[in-house]
Amino acid sequence: MELSAWVQQAKSQADSGRVADRTPRLNMANPDWFAVSICCVTGQTYSLGDISCVFPLMSVIKAFSLLYLLEHFGAEKVLRWVGVEPSDAPFNSLDQLMSDRGYPRNPMINSGAITLADKLPGENASDRTQRFCLWLNQLAGCQLKLDELMLASVRLTRSPGNQAIANHLAQTGYLKNLDIALDTYEQICCLSGTVEDLAKLGQLLACENPLVATKNRRIVNAVMLTCGLYEASAEFAVKIGLPMKSGIGGGLLAIVPGEGAIACYSPALDKVGNPVAGLAFIEVLAQNLNLSIFG
């Protein structure tokens, strides 16, 4: 099977990356871990590697909080809260937010995701996170859970950058409740699952589903293509040509519209914050199978 050869080829590149040290808990991941799960619209699935690993979705969840809010409030309202412009600055850039006068540039970077966390339905952060998690699990048939130990680790080492971004968003009127927004953001980033759970989630964006509006899927996929890999998004839109979203937990999701979803887990990240082996695998897969949405 060529798939296992492509996995080996991708894994050999993990040495050039580093596991995130954003929290002590994230830093415990083994840089050699690698798992992939491919879910096809036909119902076939292929999974290889360390598929029993459970990891926090971290920023991969941003694509789904966007979908959730589009489904609940509609595009017109959501796109008043956050833009869809790509950013050439790092995902946690305060300078970018300030130069944009406090309007979050897109939902895939921290300023946009914190703004959207402020808008999730629910009384408090825990209520919002539980409702969101239940919605995803019911819709996608996956089994995400809040990783309480990871959340405790995140809270212990709360990012000063995120705090500064939230302060600025509150000053410019984009947050209703700064504390709930940050708490919700941290909790949804600690929703955890396996690579197979992530591939099932990807199916929500890949395939026609009576429970998700086609228009909203298109918006999320477009924003993932242009913004999902931070300042490397344009480079990989050219190299791979698929909507993708990464997270510092090692998760990477690629959508092949109308065909299915490819989920990878590889904790070693490049300088931008994208999983090295996951990107290498999806690149070789996309090139060999002609998966680019651009034909």
Side-chain angles (χ1 to χ4, degrees):
M1 181 74 175
E2 282 180 82
L3 211 53
S4 54
W6 294 338
V7 166
Q8 289 312 316
Q9 190 181 329
K11 278 181 76 167
S12 69
Q13 302 195 29
D15 297 352
S16 65
R18 287 184 56 214
V19 173
D21 54 7
R22 164 72 188 79
T23 78
R25 188 106 191 137
L26 272 177
N27 205 18
M28 288 161 67
N30 181 337
D32 295 329
W33 282 338
F34 184 88
V36 59
S37 182
I38 301 169
C39 257
C40 305
V41 66
T42 56
Q44 286 173 294
T45 58
Y46 306 90
S47 298
L48 278 175
D50 302 296
I51 56 172
S52 60
C53 287
V54 173
F55 56 93
L57 295 187
M58 292 290 163
S59 286
V60 182
I61 204 67
K62 293 171 180 173
F64 297 96
S65 57
L66 173 59
L67 181 68
Y68 182 62
L69 289 170
L70 288 169
E71 286 288 308
H72 278 75
F73 299 112
E76 197 180 323
K77 195 166 192 177
V78 173
L79 298 181
R80 282 204 297 270
W81 295 329
V82 63
V84 292
E85 290 288 316
S87 165
D88 55 5
F91 58 81
N92 56 357
S93 171
L94 178 61
D95 293 343
Q96 174 96 78
L97 185 63
M98 292 174 82
S99 70
D100 292 337
R101 299 197 176 117
Y103 180 55
R105 189 166 275 228
N106 69 66
M108 303 294 153
I109 55 177
N110 294 13
S111 56
I114 292 167
T115 301
L116 293 189
D118 183 60
K119 314 296 187 275
L120 293 190
E123 292 296 305
N124 54 40
S126 297
D127 180 35
R128 291 173 181 196
T129 304
Q130 280 171 349
R131 286 188 190 198
F132 178 42
C133 186
L134 186 65
W135 184 81
L136 288 172
N137 285 341
Q138 286 178 337
L139 222 55
C142 55
Q143 294 179 305
L144 302 183
K145 289 189 182 75
L146 178 63
D147 183 336
E148 299 279 2
L149 290 172
M150 186 64 70
L151 180 61
S153 187
V154 167
R155 284 173 169 164
L156 199 65
T157 54
R158 172 169 278 183
S159 155
N162 285 346
Q163 186 75 55
I165 284 169
N167 289 342
H168 194 71
L169 287 167
Q171 284 162 15
T172 51
Y174 283 95
L175 295 187
K176 281 186 287 215
N177 188 313
L178 186 153
D179 293 331
I180 292 179
L182 261 184
D183 192 6
T184 304
Y185 174 70
E186 290 174 350
Q187 287 199 40
I188 65 173
C189 285
C190 291
L191 290 174
S192 299
T194 64
V195 74
E196 290 174 332
D197 289 318
L198 184 52
K200 286 177 183 173
L201 278 179
Q203 287 284 72
L204 293 178
L205 295 170
C207 307
E208 285 293 334
N209 180 328
L211 301 172
V212 176
T214 301
K215 178 178 76 171
N216 293 337
R217 281 196 303 118
R218 283 186 189 140
I219 292 170
V220 177
N221 281 325
V223 176
M224 283 169 74
L225 181 78
T226 56
C227 309
L229 300 177
Y230 314 120
E231 62 269 42
S233 300
E235 177 194 339
F236 286 102
V238 172
K239 267 190 191 171
I240 295 175
L242 294 174
M244 291 193 279
K245 185 72 198 90
S246 62
I248 64 164
L252 179 67
L253 180 64
I255 307 301
V256 189
E259 301 287 338
I262 307 155
C264 295
Y265 170 57
S266 60
L269 311 175
D270 63 19
K271 288 186 175 66
V272 174
N274 295 318
V276 177
L279 278 174
F281 175 78
I282 290 172
E283 188 174 342
V284 72
L285 193 71
Q287 286 170 355
N288 279 282
L289 303 181
N290 295 320
L291 297 181
S292 170
I293 61 171
F294 302 111

